[in-house]
C-alpha cells in the first residue's frame, strides 16, 4: 500500500505526529512518502489513494492560512473516493478546527480513516504517539 503523509508544522508538534504515523504505517508494510507541504503539491499528493494530512489549529480555530490552507483548497476537489486521515496539534482551543476539517473532507466524498481526526495537545505525549502509531497501521491496511 502506498501512503502519503503531508503536513504543515511551525514548531514541530504536528511533525512529531506525522513521523509516528509514518513509523506505524511503515512497520505495517506500507510504502510511505512523508512530506512537508512546502516540498510537495496538491497534484502530487492526489496521486495517492491513501492520504494523511496534518495541520495544527491556527488563526482562530482554522487551518494555517498561508501555506497549508491554499494547498488543501487545491487538494480538496481531488479527495473524492480517497481514504483520508487527518491529524494535528492544538493548544488552548476545543478542537473545533478539526471538527470543521473532518466535515469538509467528508463533504468532499473522502472516507475519513478512523472516523475522526486525531488531535494532540502541543507536543504529542506517549498516549498521543501511540494513537499516531495505530493510525499509521490503519493506513497500511
Ligand atoms: C498564530 C497562532 C494561532 C493559534 N491558534 C490556535 C487556536 O485557535 N486554537 C488552538 O487550540 N491553538 C492555537 N494555536 C496553538 C497551536 O495550534 C499549537 O502551538 C500547535 O502545537 C502548533 O503545532 P505545530 O508545531 O505543528 O505547528 C495557535 C498558535 C499560533 C502561533
Amino acid at each position: 500500500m502506498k501512503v502519503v503523509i503531508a503536513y504543515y508544522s511551525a514548531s514541530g508538534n504536528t511533525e512529531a505526529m506525522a513521523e509516528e504515523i509514518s513509523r506505524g504505517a511503515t512497520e505495517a508494510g506500507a510504502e510511505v512518502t512523508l512530506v512537508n507541504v512546502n516540498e510537495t503539491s496538491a497534484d502530487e499528493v492526489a496521486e495517492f489513494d491513501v492520504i494523511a494530512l496534518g495541520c495544527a489549529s491556527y488563526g482562530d480555530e482554522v487551518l494555517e492560512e498561508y501555506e497549508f490552507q491554499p494547498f488543501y483548497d487545491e487538494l480538496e476537489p481531488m479527495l473524492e473516493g480517497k481514504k483520508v486521515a487527518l491529524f494535528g496539534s492544538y493548544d488552548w482551543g476545543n478542537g473545533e478546527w478539526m471538527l470543521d476539517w473532518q466535515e469538509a473532507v467528508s463533504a468532499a466524498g473522502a472516507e475519513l480513516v478512523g472516523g475522526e481526526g486525531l488531535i494532540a495537545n502541543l507536543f504529542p505525549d506517549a498516549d498521543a504517539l501511540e494513537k499516531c502509531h495505530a493510525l499509521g497501521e490503519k493506513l497500511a491496511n
Side-chain angles (χ1 to χ4, degrees):
M1 178 66 72
K2 284 187 178 181
V3 175
V4 65
I5 304 171
Y7 66 92
Y8 170 90
S9 187
S11 52
N13 296 338
T14 301
E15 183 172 56
M17 298 178 78
E19 285 168 351
E20 196 59 38
I21 293 167
S22 175
R23 270 190 285 275
T26 303
E27 283 171 24
E31 188 185 317
V32 178
T33 302
L34 175 65
V35 280
N36 191 303
V37 282
N38 65 23
E39 327 167 307
T40 188
S41 66
D43 283 336
E44 266 178 31
V45 169
E47 283 170 19
F48 292 78
D49 294 327
V50 183
I51 300 171
L53 300 172
C55 181
S57 179
Y58 277 97
D60 183 13
E61 293 297 317
V62 291
L63 295 169
E64 188 277 330
E65 58 192 321
Y66 301 105
E67 280 186 50
F68 194 85
Q69 186 76 56
F71 159 82
Y72 178 71
D73 286 345
E74 208 183 324
L75 179 65
E76 193 183 70
M78 300 187 267
L79 291 180
E80 189 167 359
K82 309 260 186 202
K83 277 178 131 182
V84 176
L86 301 179
F87 62 96
S89 173
Y90 68 101
D91 188 354
W92 58 83
N94 57 6
E96 195 187 326
W97 105 104
M98 185 55 79
L99 298 179
D100 292 343
W101 195 9
Q102 284 170 205
E103 237 176 74
V105 159
S106 298
E111 178 198 334
L112 188 59
V113 178
E116 58 184 9
L118 178 56
I119 66 176
N121 192 235
L122 296 171
F123 193 87
D125 63 12
D127 182 51
L129 288 175
E130 208 172 288
K131 288 179 178 152
C132 290
H133 200 89
L135 180 59
E137 288 172 350
K138 235 180 238 164
L139 291 173
N141 294 304

